[in-house]
Amino acid sequence: MGTSRRLHHFSPAALHILGCILNVLPGIGAELETENLSGLSTDPYKDIFVVRENGTTCLMAEFAAKFSVAYDARASNYVDLITEQAYISIPRGADVKGKCGSNESELQISWLDNAYSFKLFFVKETRNISTRQDHYWKINKVQFSYDLSDPTHFKDAANSGKHTATSRHLSLFVTPAGKSYKCEAQETVSLISSDHQKVVAILLSQIHIQPFGIKRDFIFSEASKCVVDEQEQLEETLPLILGLTLGLLIVVILSVYHIHHKLTATSQVQIPRDRSEYKHM
C-alpha cells in the first residue's frame, strides 16, 4: 500500500526536510502522501480525498457516500430474527490510504479504529475498436468492511464481528484515459456480504474522480459526464432550443411575408387618383 499519512499532521517545513531525506536514501520507492480534504467541502455529506506521489497529485476523489447495510437483529421476543437496515456515512475525520500505479490505483478510507473500511480499486485498460485502440480507466472492484459489534449503527445485532462486502469484475465509471469522471446523479453499487450473503448498497452522488493522468496538482482533467447527467442537461436545454428555433422561424415567416407583400404591391397596376382621368379609360 506504500507509506501514507494525512498532510496536516506535519508542517510544510517538516515535509520538505522529510522529502529530502527520503530522496537520498537508496532503495526507497515513490513516497505516497494522502489527505482528507472533506473539511473544505461546503456540503457536509461530500468527501474529498487526495493521494500525492513525490509532491504531485496522482489520485483525486470527491463524492457523497451512504452505505445501506442489511443485517439480522433480534426481535422483541429475543428469539426470532428480523432483517434490519443500517445507514452509515463517512465521517469527516476518516483516515486515508492510497496507491498510485501506471495501470492500477487504489483508494482506501477507514474510520472508527478500522471498524469500517471503504476501498475503491481502479484499473487502466486498452481495447481494440476497428483500426484504433481505445484507452480507458474504470473501477473494477469495490469493497466495504463493517463491524456488527458497533451498537451505534447495528442495534440488537444477532451476530457480532467484522464482515466484508465485495463486488468483483465491475466496469464502473468507464472513462477515457486522461479524463476525470463526473456525475451529479446518484449511482448505486450493490455488494454481497460475508454475513450470510446479505446485500450492502453503496449510494454515491456528486461524484468527481480521477485515478490516473492528472496533469496539474489538485486539479481534475477534463470531465467525462455520466449518461444521466447528459440526459438531464439535454432535457433542460431542449425547451430553450425549441423556443429559440420557433422564435427564429416566426421572424423568418414574417420577414418573407413582408417582402412578398411589398413586391406584390409594387407590381400591381396603379389606379389613377384623379377621377377626371377616368374618361380616357
Side-chain angles (χ1 to χ4, degrees), residues 70-85 148 155-160 195-196 198:
Y71 70 99
D72 289 330
R74 298 183 186 89
S76 57
N77 58 13
Y78 292 95
V79 176
D80 298 325
L81 296 180
I82 59 175
T83 300
E84 293 285 359
Q85 210 75 22
L148 290 174
K155 184 180 179 181
D156 298 325
N159 305 311
S160 61
D195 177 26
H196 299 89
K198 291 289 193 300

Side-chain angles (χ1 to χ4, degrees), residues 200-226:
V200 174
I202 303 177
L203 311 177
L204 298 172
S205 60
Q206 303 181 64
I207 307 163
H208 202 174
I209 295 178
Q210 186 172 0
F212 304 101
I214 297 178
K215 298 178 181 179
R216 299 177 62 187
D217 207 18
F218 292 110
I219 298 178
F220 287 107
S221 300
E222 179 186 354
S224 175
K225 292 186 178 181
C226 61

Side-chain angles (χ1 to χ4, degrees), residues 13 16 20 39 52 86-87 106 117 124 154 158 161 170 193 203 209 218 221 240 247 266:
H16 177 72
C20 293
R52 306 180 80 238
Y87 297 96
E106 189 176 311
S117 177
K124 188 190 294 184
F154 302 103
L170 284 176
S193 173
L203 311 177
I209 295 178
F218 292 110
S221 300
L240 178 61
T266 304

Side-chain angles (χ1 to χ4, degrees), residues 99-106 121-124 140 211-212:
K99 174 184 175 182
C100 290
S102 56
N103 294 313
E104 293 183 1
S105 293
E106 189 176 311
F121 298 84
F122 306 90
V123 63
K124 188 190 294 184
N140 68 333
F212 304 101

Side-chain angles (χ1 to χ4, degrees), residues 2-126:
T3 304
S4 59
R5 58 187 177 274
R6 293 177 63 184
L7 294 181
H8 56 263
H9 287 178
F10 302 88
S11 66
L15 284 174
H16 177 72
I17 294 172
L18 181 60
C20 293
I21 294 174
L22 290 172
N23 285 335
V24 299
L25 289 176
I28 298 295
E31 175 70 10
L32 294 180
E33 300 170 348
T34 57
E35 189 169 12
N36 185 339
L37 301 177
S38 298
L40 300 179
S41 174
T42 56
D43 187 336
Y45 301 103
K46 184 176 181 178
D47 300 292
I48 306 173
F49 306 102
V50 173
V51 179
R52 306 180 80 238
E53 183 179 56
N54 294 330
T56 303
T57 304
C58 58
L59 188 154
M60 288 180 67
E62 297 182 10
F63 50 78
K66 180 175 285 187
F67 306 88
S68 176
V69 182
Y71 70 99
D72 289 330
R74 298 183 186 89
S76 57
N77 58 13
Y78 292 95
V79 176
D80 298 325
L81 296 180
I82 59 175
T83 300
E84 293 285 359
Q85 210 75 22
Y87 297 96
I88 304 163
S89 299
I90 301 174
R92 278 288 187 256
D95 294 319
V96 187
K97 291 182 180 180
K99 174 184 175 182
C100 290
S102 56
N103 294 313
E104 293 183 1
S105 293
E106 189 176 311
L107 178 65
Q108 177 180 330
I109 307 159
S110 56
W111 61 97
L112 201 63
D113 295 328
N114 290 319
Y116 299 93
S117 177
F118 179 43
K119 296 181 181 180
L120 296 172
F121 298 84
F122 306 90
V123 63
K124 188 190 294 184
E125 295 182 351
T126 301

Side-chain angles (χ1 to χ4, degrees), residues 224-235:
S224 175
K225 292 186 178 181
C226 61
V227 176
V228 178
D229 279 5
E230 290 181 342
Q231 289 177 344
E232 289 181 353
Q233 184 177 3
L234 180 60
E235 290 174 358

